[in-house]
Amino acid sequence: MALYGITSTTDGTGDHVPWTTLEYDTAVYNPNSNNYVPQYRQVGNRIDLHLRLSRTDKAPWTTGEKILTLPPHIRPNRTQGMVGQTTGAGVTGSLTVRWEVLTDGSLHIYDPRGLTGWIGLDAGYFTS
C-alpha cells in the first residue's frame, strides 16, 4: 500500500527509519507512557510526529500553547497544520484538536475548550 508518495517507512535500503526523541519541558508536560514521549522520524520530505502529553499541573490547555520546538533540519518552510486527538474524559463535542508547526519549528496546540486531559498527535505528519 502506498502512502501518497511515501512507499514505506524505510530508508531506501529496507532498514526501518527509527523514531528520534524531541526535547520538551518535562516540568510542564508529562507523556502518558514511554510509548508517547514526543518523537519524530523523517522519510524523504515527510516528517512523522507522535506524542501524547498531559500537563503536570493539571491546568487547562490554552489555545495557541507552544508545546516544543523541532530541530532546524526538520522545520517546515511554511506553517503546517495537523489533526490530533484528546481524551474523551469530560470532553463534549469532537475528540479532535488542531496542531500547527510554524516555520521556526514551534509546535502549537489550538483548541478553545480549555481541555484538562491529555492531548495527542499519534499519526501526525507534514511535508517540507
Side-chain angles (χ1 to χ4, degrees):
M1 177 173 94
L3 298 174
Y4 303 100
I6 305 295
T7 56
S8 67
T9 55
T10 66
D11 64 4
T13 67
D15 290 337
H16 179 75
V17 177
W19 290 95
T20 301
T21 299
L22 291 163
E23 292 185 23
Y24 65 99
D25 190 341
T26 58
V28 178
Y29 307 113
N30 185 36
N32 283 20
S33 74
N34 288 339
N35 295 328
Y36 291 109
V37 172
Q39 294 180 316
Y40 78 92
R41 69 179 171 195
Q42 181 176 6
V43 179
N45 69 341
R46 176 179 161 148
I47 308 299
D48 296 320
L49 300 172
H50 78 88
L51 59 86
R52 198 175 280 186
L53 297 172
S54 298
R55 292 186 53 91
T56 57
D57 63 3
K58 308 294 186 208
W61 294 95
T62 57
T63 194
E65 185 170 340
K66 178 180 151 184
I67 307 302
L68 54 83
T69 302
L70 301 176
H73 69 281
I74 63 167
R75 294 177 183 174
N77 58 12
R78 60 183 164 68
T79 298
Q80 298 283 312
M82 295 170 286
V83 175
Q85 69 280 1
T86 185
T87 180
V91 176
T92 58
S94 172
L95 295 179
T96 60
V97 293
R98 180 172 61 99
W99 292 87
E100 284 190 358
V101 179
L102 307 182
T103 57
D104 66 359
S106 58
L107 177 65
H108 298 261
I109 184 75
Y110 292 92
D111 194 288
R113 294 177 284 181
L115 303 169
T116 57
W118 59 261
I119 56 172
L121 189 57
D122 287 340
Y125 73 89
F126 64 91
T127 58
S128 58

